[in-house]
Amino acid sequence: MKTLDLYERALEPVKHWWMYLIIGILALVLGIFMLASPVITYEMLTLLLGVALIIFGIIQLVVAMLSKNFFVSRAAAIIGSILDIVLGVLLFANPGISAITLPLILGMWMMYKSFMTISYAGDLKGLKVKGYGFTMFCGIVLLILSVMILLRPITIGMMTVAIYIALSFIIYGLSEIVSSFRLKSISQIIEES
């Protein structure tokens, strides 16, 4: 009975694998756009990040509400998605947020996402899913980038912060894309058994 319950709980979030793919593609496109647009204004960057976080938060909230979310605790997923939405609204509503505050906020957001990504990689490893190492690697790189921003939010300069944020979104996007296909493969394994 416990094995059946485990499969049922694992099947719930994998039904929505395509939503994680959408998040990954959006994050990847945003990161590439930010890297390719060195003249992007500070206000535009803040607005883009705000909109992106609102979209990510809504998608993640839908997935968390529709599933028992075996891979990451449902409460953590709901809280994280609500924080994404609140942070997105805060950034969108205040595009003139200070150059000191933005790196701190985004550094903390990146750190939270890195912990969630590392935890998710651990869940994949526990289920013996191949390729969990890439997800773990992405989580560790996100953690390093977040620490680099948080240690020197004032002295590294806005251009460097923008590059770190762009790289973070690219890494986060790649991680979500790979993870979505991992979830899809788990779904196929579960359906075949």
Side-chain angles (χ1 to χ4, degrees):
M1 187 67 173
K2 288 199 176 234
T3 304
L4 182 59
D5 183 47
L6 177 69
Y7 282 139
E8 288 174 4
R9 288 179 65 206
L11 187 56
E12 286 297 316
V14 299
K15 288 179 186 175
H16 309 291
W17 66 270
W18 57 273
M19 289 184 158
Y20 293 108
L21 180 63
I22 290 171
I23 292 172
I25 292 170
L26 289 174
L28 182 63
V29 168
L30 180 61
I32 291 170
F33 174 76
M34 288 169 39
L35 271 182
S37 304
V39 293
I40 191 170
T41 67
Y42 180 77
E43 287 80 16
M44 187 175 172
L45 174 67
T46 305
L47 288 172
L48 281 173
L49 293 173
V51 170
L53 292 179
I54 292 169
I55 293 170
F56 297 166
I58 290 170
I59 292 172
Q60 291 171 341
L61 184 61
V62 168
V63 172
M65 298 301 286
L66 292 177
S67 70
K68 295 174 186 167
N69 216 339
F70 172 77
F71 297 102
V72 177
S73 81
R74 186 176 189 186
I78 291 171
I79 290 169
S81 60
I82 291 171
L83 288 174
D84 282 355
I85 293 168
V86 169
L87 181 58
V89 169
L90 174 73
L91 291 175
F92 188 76
N94 300 300
I97 197 165
S98 79
I100 298 168
T101 308
L102 182 65
L104 288 173
I105 291 172
L106 292 174
M108 288 186 277
W109 177 81
M110 288 166 37
M111 185 173 281
Y112 171 77
K113 288 298 181 185
S114 72
F115 290 141
M116 294 296 285
T117 304
I118 291 168
S119 173
Y120 175 68
D123 290 341
L124 291 176
K125 181 181 178 185
L127 290 171
K128 297 180 173 55
V129 175
K130 293 180 182 178
Y132 71 88
F134 180 75
T135 303
M136 181 70 74
F137 172 76
C138 289
I140 292 169
V141 172
L142 278 176
L143 180 61
I144 292 168
L145 286 170
S146 69
V147 169
M148 290 172 66
I149 290 174
L150 290 173
L151 286 178
R152 302 181 323 148
I154 300 169
T155 59
I156 61 175
M158 191 56 211
M159 189 62 163
T160 305
V161 168
I163 290 170
Y164 285 172
I165 291 169
L167 290 174
S168 296
F169 269 85
I170 290 169
I171 292 165
Y172 176 64
L174 289 173
S175 173
E176 288 292 305
I177 290 169
V178 169
S179 295
S180 70
F181 287 111
R182 296 284 178 259
L183 287 174
K184 184 180 178 188
S185 69
I186 292 170
S187 175
Q188 292 169 343
I189 292 168
I190 292 171
E191 288 172 3
E192 291 170 3
S193 59

